[in-house]
Amino acid sequence: MVISVRYGQRPLLIVMTLTAAAVALRCRLTRIRMSCSDAFALLGTAHRGLSSTPVALAEARQRSAPSSSSRGERGTSAAALTLSPALLAGALVAKSSRSVKGREGRHAYNVVRRAQSLVSQIDFRVGQIVSCERHPESDKLLVEKIDVGEEAPRQILSGIGKFLTPDDVVGSRVVIVSNLKARKLAGMPSEGMLLCASKTEGEGEDEILSELCLVEAPEGAAVGERVQIEAEDGEIGEPFAPNKVAKKKIFEQVAPDLQTDAEGTVQYKSSNFVTTAGPCTAKAIPSGRVS
């Protein structure tokens, strides 16, 4: 009988093969009056490659056969057992089954392990604004230089010029999104996003920003420190590369759940933005949006 199976059905093939081998072994042992323990010892020897020729059974039969000579009619003294291909296949399949079981065990472990949370795929970093000026061609854009612990400050453009002046923001300890793809705004490159909290007025097409303030990290937080968010939907993991963030639109999925609570603490859903020095805040705008 020929059985063709895919990889996912290998355990079924293994069970069937072992069952057939066990039946053949049982019949063989009945004929030669050998105990199961001795048979498995011989099978193990053959599996290790130490017996490719017939294996003598004199000692085994002396241990397992009764002393009475009444059973001599059923066999010959000093008989030899040739391990059949089916038995050798059974030994090899047994080894294969252990290997498959190990792979399945690892797979089962991966299934029960919690996945990485969506928000931890975004890299929120503590930064400090070292300089700022208005964009020469846009009144609403500010051009900030932000130290995030790298060799040189990052240039980030933010559309906050209607609410804040360069003097308002210089020296502030802020939070940026650092793993967004660089893009040009009004002809100038921007290498990330400065987080702000805001409130709006109106609805639909008439909705406009009415209030805005910076999201601030606590004074004791180190420049360049990654903000931690213990989300309920998974574990904290390494942030994704900018290309992957853009391709999978990860920030667009995270952004609707960024907010401040009633005390102005910045949150993803109900999980706080936390640094080693405490939570990030936007106390001027409680219960607001963060973007």
Side-chain angles (χ1 to χ4, degrees), residues 12-287:
L12 175 60
L13 176 59
I14 290 167
V15 171
M16 295 176 66
T17 304
L18 286 175
T19 302
V23 171
L25 177 61
R26 178 66 177 172
C27 294
R28 189 77 169 183
L29 294 178
T30 299
R31 290 198 299 272
I32 66 172
R33 301 190 303 279
M34 172 179 278
S35 69
C36 289
S37 61
D38 289 329
F40 280 114
L42 289 172
L43 187 59
T45 301
H47 178 47
R48 291 192 298 270
L50 300 178
S51 177
S52 58
T53 59
V55 180
L57 296 178
E59 294 182 0
R61 291 183 63 203
Q62 288 176 3
R63 291 194 301 270
S64 60
S67 58
S68 173
S69 61
S70 61
R71 302 175 66 178
E73 298 176 358
R74 298 184 59 188
T76 60
S77 61
L81 170 66
T82 302
L83 291 176
S84 68
L87 296 184
L88 290 175
L92 293 175
V93 169
K95 180 180 180 182
S96 175
S97 70
R98 289 194 298 271
S99 177
V100 171
K101 183 178 179 181
R103 288 194 295 269
E104 290 177 344
R106 289 193 297 273
H107 179 66
Y109 173 78
N110 289 336
V111 168
V112 298
R113 182 180 178 184
R114 294 182 70 202
Q116 180 177 354
S117 66
L118 184 67
V119 71
S120 76
Q121 297 167 18
I122 299 297
D123 195 5
F124 296 100
R125 296 275 172 178
V126 174
Q128 185 160 5
I129 301 178
V130 294
S131 68
C132 181
E133 60 185 19
R134 291 192 178 276
H135 191 285
E137 298 178 2
S138 175
D139 291 338
K140 70 176 184 178
L141 287 177
L142 297 186
V143 182
E144 306 106 8
K145 298 286 186 179
I146 304 178
D147 180 9
V148 289
E150 299 171 336
E151 292 184 1
R154 290 197 184 198
Q155 177 173 283
I156 294 179
L157 276 68
S158 307
I160 59 177
K162 179 180 176 181
F163 300 93
L164 299 168
T165 68
D167 290 340
D168 292 332
V169 302
V170 171
S172 297
R173 189 147 297 201
V174 295
V175 177
I176 72 162
V177 183
S178 69
N179 61 339
L180 300 179
K181 286 185 68 175
R183 59 175 183 162
K184 285 190 174 183
L185 296 175
M188 298 182 68
S190 180
E191 302 173 302
M193 176 185 291
L194 178 66
L195 284 188
C196 296
S198 62
K199 284 189 175 182
T200 59
E201 292 179 348
E203 296 181 357
E205 295 181 356
D206 296 328
E207 186 179 34
I208 59 170
L209 282 177
S210 59
E211 299 178 60
L212 182 142
C213 72
L214 298 177
V215 168
E216 297 184 326
E219 286 299 322
V223 168
E225 177 182 344
R226 188 182 180 196
V227 177
Q228 302 293 310
I229 305 160
E230 294 282 356
E232 295 180 357
D233 62 348
E235 298 179 349
I236 295 175
E238 291 299 314
F240 283 8
N243 285 340
K244 192 170 184 179
V245 170
K247 182 178 180 180
K248 293 182 175 292
K249 299 185 182 300
I250 295 172
F251 187 74
E252 288 80 353
Q253 298 177 61
V254 169
D257 293 310
L258 300 179
Q259 62 188 16
T260 57
D261 65 9
E263 297 179 352
T265 300
V266 179
Q267 297 181 323
Y268 168 71
K269 297 183 178 179
S270 59
S271 302
N272 292 346
F273 276 48
V274 178
T275 70
T276 54
C280 301
T281 59
K283 293 188 180 297
I285 302 183
S287 303

